[in-house]
Amino acid sequence: MRPFDFTRRRRAAEPPAPARSPHPIGRPTDGSGPSRLRVGAVEVMAISEDEVLDHVSSAWRLRRGGSIVTANVDIIRAATFDPALADLITRSELVVADGMPVVWAGRLAGTPLPGRVTGSSLVYSLTARAARENRSVFLLGGAPGVPEAAARALADRHPGLRVAGACSPPYGFDATAEGMRRLVGLVTAAAPDLVLVGLGFPKQERTIRALRAELPDAWYIGCGAGIPMAAGQFSRAPEPMQRIGAEWLYRLAQEPRRLARRYLRDDLLFAVVMLAGALRSRLKAGRYLRGHPLPPARSSNGDAFDMTVPARPRPTGTVTAPVRAASPDGPVPPADYVCFSAQDWWYHNQAHSDFQLMRSVAVHRRVLVVNSIGLRMPTPGNSTQVLRRIGRKLRSVAMLVRRPLRELPNFYVMSPLPLPLYGSPLARRLNAALVRAQVLAVSRALGLRRPVIMVTLPTAWDAVRPMRRRALVFNRSDLHSEFPESDGQVIATMERDLLRRSDHVIYVSNSLMDDERDLTGPRAYFLDHGVDTDHFRPRPVDRQPEDLRRIPGPRVGFFGALDDYFVDFDLLERIAVELPGVSLVLIGNANVPMGRLTRHPNVHWLGHRPYEEIPAYGSGFDVAIMPRPDIPWIRYSNPIKLKEYLALGLPVVTSDSHEIRNYADRVRIASDPDDFVAAVRTTLREGGLRPAEELRESVLDASWSSRAAQLMTLAETPPRHRA
């Protein structure tokens, strides 16, 4: 069979597996039973853990044995490429989904599964059911002493459980017929009702096949690491990590030597292609993404999806933008867009420039936004709130591919799973291959064949380099090599490669564009930030949020990310101390503990507020502030927030930077903390440098739609045809 062809059926020469299990969950001859999701060579049953337990209980009463396969990505991958391993699984009565990627594949393919049914969980639930029904259990697998320890732990946990035996088989027992006979004889002599086999796939399934031939009335489960877990040798991941599909990371941290190759080299890529195949199956069947969560779909027995992605014609009726370049060969066809963002749609401020540009482009083009793959792995001592940030990224990855905006059906967002280890060349190559595989799989499933690729985060360069594209646009929004937590030398190398090899480099900083002119030449283009003036318009007092109105005035306010690399927290605290009669209002998520500020009675941190509500909060500020740290990362930045403040007609006090000086006639610019506090006092006393109406009018021509039109003209016009 071809790699990743997930429609393979059982070979015609092979007889079907015997129907040894009672209806309704097993393999009845009439073809009824639960829905099945065919993933490669494996049919996973849409059944819950409780249904598994009830089925085993029923089979015990009928003196019918059987086996359970907990199919995770590794098992499905191995079975897909080896028909003999697929046959081992086919002959099992119950095949359940052990792994969130399998569950996600079911959702994407339109065959929703009830949830995970893991081997480590069944170890406890099956032995609990065995104790309740006076059944005996045999534990087979693990290092010497481990199955005995697990047996004692399970007996203590489930009073009344009868332990028929426990055995740690010698290494290589399955290499000879005599070794297998001895083991089978040992288990058969104990005559258990339930056998937990923790030898790893496929050894445990081969052992189960031999045992069933001699002891057909027992039930068997290949439980992998379930026995060592029961013995307390290591623990399962916390429940939140299990829910978001990150248990494999927890296991990898516990046994990196044994699991790294399997998880990172083999299973991750296979899981990506598996999910892409499921998505393609859904789209091919005419069931389209509708935001989140994905809508459930009815399914029948034997639902299948495959990984082959044939060429597909572009959908008819595509709306084109009012920018269409001409060439001697006729009009240039519209392009699709893939944007490697510097932010994450699901937890960052959605007003960031790459999001705003792509939303406006999506009015006319098909767009896939790839959420940030990061600048480095968060590490203790170098990063703040490490566990929170890792958990946040994993929750984003669990969102898979979605259409978040109902009014923009051509706008898709995906969160690839990255390994942001950019210090090692080998790790960089591995991460690039992993991210690229995920993006290409989703792009092909959506029919994005040769897109314009826009890169905002330089760490995407390794993934983008070999990708087929119509044009490469480097969105030079910041000097990322100066980001405080990044490996500056490595990131700078990526930035230089992008500057040299991109078809177009767009800047929001004139000074940065001038500094890099030797690397870009005529490919550099200034594209200033826009602002959503319809969204950011002043709200009257009666339409401002109640929690804001309860805060006494005058209010000095800030909205946006409260990150220590964007905000000068020392300056915020100084404002709170030196202006005790002023309420300091802060809106946004924080990456540092906020206790140092909230201990002051005049500081009001309201936390995150939805993007839709931000203008109503900002309308209640008497002075809007941008207290930015004096670091290289900030000096070249051009904050979108400034235009949003001005669109609301707010008086603004800001720290100094290159681009801010272009607004010196509209905002007060402070050169140091003393000057900043003094400027806030002056603004509270005298108001802004211009009336509110003039401030708003000064940015009315800076719409995102006009910026997007400029971008499309630049990216889609062949260089020889541009004026």
Side-chain angles (χ1 to χ4, degrees):
M1 87 182 246
R2 293 171 300 177
F4 306 126
D5 181 355
F6 274 31
T7 58
R8 190 184 77 83
R9 294 292 182 179
R10 192 174 180 78
R11 292 171 295 179
E14 295 177 345
R20 301 180 181 178
S21 298
H23 183 70
I25 295 182
R27 298 187 179 278
T29 57
D30 63 359
S32 61
S35 297
R36 288 185 172 90
L37 174 72
R38 188 171 182 84
V39 189
V42 177
E43 282 190 350
V44 179
M45 298 176 180
I47 56 177
S48 66
E49 186 167 346
D50 287 341
E51 289 175 303
V52 171
L53 300 178
D54 292 342
H55 178 76
V56 172
S57 292
S58 176
W60 275 333
R61 290 192 294 272
L62 295 170
R63 300 185 62 80
R64 292 177 176 171
S67 63
I68 305 169
V69 173
T70 55
N72 57 24
V73 171
D74 190 64
I75 289 175
I76 293 173
R77 176 189 57 79
T80 297
F81 291 107
D82 189 335
L85 299 182
D87 183 65
L88 283 174
I89 298 174
T90 300
R91 293 177 181 276
S92 298
E93 275 63 28
L94 302 180
V95 182
V96 295
D98 182 346
M100 283 306 297
V102 184
V103 176
W104 294 335
R107 294 175 187 169
L108 286 174
T111 307
L113 303 173
R116 297 176 68 199
V117 184
T118 66
S120 51
S121 177
L122 283 171
V123 164
Y124 293 106
S125 58
L126 281 172
T127 52
R129 185 63 64 95
R132 194 174 80 186
E133 300 189 11
N134 196 31
R135 305 288 177 178
S136 60
V137 62
F138 194 104
L139 288 81
L140 179 62
V146 170
E148 292 81 4
R152 290 191 296 270
L154 291 170
D156 291 340
R157 185 184 182 107
H158 309 303
L161 177 66
R162 292 192 294 118
V163 178
C167 174
S168 175
Y171 178 79
F173 76 92
D174 57 331
T176 64
E178 179 60 26
M180 183 64 78
R181 276 197 300 270
R182 288 177 183 173
L183 183 69
V184 170
L186 175 67
V187 178
T188 302
D193 300 295
L194 173 66
V195 184
L196 308 180
V197 187
L199 300 172
F201 182 84
K203 184 186 292 187
Q204 62 194 16
E205 277 65 32
R206 291 177 176 140
T207 303
I208 288 172
R209 180 175 58 184
L211 288 168
R212 291 188 66 182
E214 300 297 326
L215 193 64
D217 294 341
W219 269 85
Y220 304 83
I221 175 174
C223 58
I227 291 175
M229 283 187 181
Q233 197 170 27
F234 49 83
S235 61
R236 286 196 69 180
E239 183 65 27
M241 293 190 75
Q242 295 181 41
R243 286 198 302 269
I244 64 174
E247 189 165 14
W248 67 275
L249 280 174
Y250 191 84
R251 293 280 292 111
L252 179 62
Q254 292 176 314
E255 298 183 274
R257 289 182 178 272
R258 187 173 75 85
L259 298 177
R261 179 173 177 173
R262 180 202 304 176
Y263 284 175
L264 301 181
R265 193 194 73 171
D266 300 329
D267 292 351
L268 270 178
L269 179 58
F270 186 85
V272 169
V273 181
M274 178 181 72
L275 293 170
L279 175 61
R280 176 181 169 268
S281 176
R282 183 68 163 270
L283 295 174
K284 190 175 180 181
R287 304 167 185 144
Y288 294 91
L289 297 173
R290 300 178 184 175
H292 56 92
L294 288 172
R298 295 184 179 273
S299 60
S300 59
N301 290 351
D303 277 3
F305 59 86
D306 63 61
M307 293 308 192
T308 59
V309 187
R312 185 175 73 176
R314 188 180 185 88
T316 59
T318 302
V319 180
T320 57
V323 286
R324 174 81 64 93
S327 76
D329 302 321
V332 178
D336 299 316
Y337 284 74
V338 174
C339 171
F340 286 80
S341 174
Q343 315 298 328
D344 193 295
W345 177 271
W346 303 116
Y347 58 80
H348 281 139
N349 183 353
Q350 294 172 6
H352 282 283
S353 64
D354 38 11
F355 292 151
Q356 295 279 20
L357 281 170
M358 289 300 105
R359 286 168 67 170
S360 294
V361 169
V363 174
H364 313 286
R365 306 286 192 262
R366 289 187 299 180
V367 171
L368 172 64
V369 169
V370 181
N371 279 330
S372 170
I373 60 174
L375 289 168
R376 62 167 294 157
M377 180 73 81
T379 55
N382 295 317
S383 309
T384 56
Q385 298 183 323
V386 174
L387 293 178
R388 175 176 176 267
R389 292 165 69 178
I390 292 176
R392 188 173 64 177
K393 173 54 69 177
L394 292 173
R395 286 193 296 274
S396 176
V397 171
M399 302 294 279
L400 302 177
V401 184
R402 307 208 176 193
R403 290 197 310 189
L405 302 173
R406 188 178 299 275
E407 67 274 14
L408 289 176
N410 287 330
F411 183 76
Y412 297 86
V413 176
M414 71 169 291
S415 294
L417 180 64
L419 297 172
L421 305 171
Y422 300 108
S424 160
L426 177 61
R428 279 178 56 185
R429 288 196 296 271
L430 177 63
N431 182 59
L434 174 63
V435 170
R436 183 166 57 250
Q438 296 172 78
V439 174
L440 286 176
V442 172
S443 297
R444 293 177 71 188
L446 297 176
L448 312 181
R449 300 297 173 194
R450 192 168 169 264
V452 170
I453 297 179
M454 187 172 88
V455 173
T456 301
L457 199 65
T459 47
W461 167 238
D462 287 336
V464 166
R465 188 194 324 242
M467 291 175 63
R468 291 184 70 249
R469 53 188 179 258
R470 180 161 168 174
L472 176 61
V473 179
F474 184 18
N475 180 24
R476 190 65 158 139
S477 61
D478 289 290
L479 189 60
H480 286 94
S481 53
E482 293 292 346
F483 182 72
E485 291 187 8
S486 71
D487 186 329
Q489 185 174 356
V490 172
I491 303 302
T493 299
M494 296 179 181
E495 287 176 326
R496 284 193 296 271
D497 286 343
L498 276 165
L499 290 168
R500 291 189 180 104
R501 299 180 63 176
S502 295
D503 297 292
H504 316 285
V505 183
I506 57 175
Y507 287 88
V508 295
S509 168
N510 281 290
S511 54
L512 183 58
M513 184 170 69
D514 292 340
D515 288 352
E516 295 177 344
R517 184 72 70 178
D518 290 342
L519 292 171
T520 61
R523 293 173 293 111
Y525 188 89
F526 183 76
L527 185 68
D528 199 5
H529 286 315
V531 62
D532 188 344
T533 53
D534 289 337
H535 184 59
F536 285 93
R537 50 186 175 78
R539 307 301 201 266
V541 173
D542 61 350
R543 293 184 57 194
Q544 294 170 13
E546 180 61 32
D547 57 346
L548 179 73
R549 285 189 285 169
R550 287 196 297 266
I551 298 173
R555 305 184 193 106
V556 173
F558 171 92
F559 57 71
L562 288 160
D563 296 330
D564 51 1
Y565 44 81
F566 281 123
V567 175
D568 186 339
F569 284 85
D570 291 335
L571 180 53
L572 282 178
E573 187 166 22
R574 184 165 177 180
I575 293 170
V577 170
E578 296 194 19
L579 301 174
V582 169
S583 293
L584 180 59
V585 181
L586 307 174
I587 298 170
N589 282 327
N591 76 337
V592 297
M594 293 292 286
R596 64 176 292 192
L597 293 175
T598 55
R599 65 190 177 93
H600 299 287
N602 61 330
V603 175
H604 305 268
W605 177 42
L606 303 184
H608 171 75
R609 291 294 184 270
Y611 176 70
E612 293 74 19
E613 300 177 9
I614 292 300
Y617 279 95
S619 297
F621 296 168
D622 295 290
V623 179
I625 58 172
M626 292 199 305
R628 290 143 43 94
D630 184 18
I631 56 177
W633 160 257
I634 290 295
R635 289 170 197 156
Y636 286 114
S637 68
N638 182 355
I640 298 174
K641 191 185 325 298
L642 177 59
K643 286 187 173 67
E644 294 170 349
Y645 284 161
L646 294 175
L648 291 172
L650 296 173
V652 179
V653 175
T654 177
S655 304
D656 194 9
S657 71
H658 293 299
E659 294 303 316
I660 290 293
R661 294 168 192 167
N662 295 322
Y663 297 85
D665 61 329
R666 284 166 277 179
V667 304
R668 288 189 170 93
I669 302 173
S671 57
D672 56 45
D674 290 337
D675 194 17
F676 199 103
V677 174
V680 172
R681 283 198 178 99
T682 300
T683 305
L684 287 169
R685 184 176 62 253
E686 301 177 4
L689 295 180
R690 292 194 195 177
E693 296 78 10
E694 290 186 20
L695 294 176
R696 176 171 170 78
E697 187 176 351
S698 71
V699 295
L700 286 180
D701 61 345
S703 69
W704 284 114
S705 59
S706 66
R707 302 292 191 250
Q710 291 173 273
L711 172 64
M712 287 186 284
T713 299
L714 181 71
E716 298 179 29
T717 306
R720 66 180 183 277
H721 300 306
R722 288 200 303 271

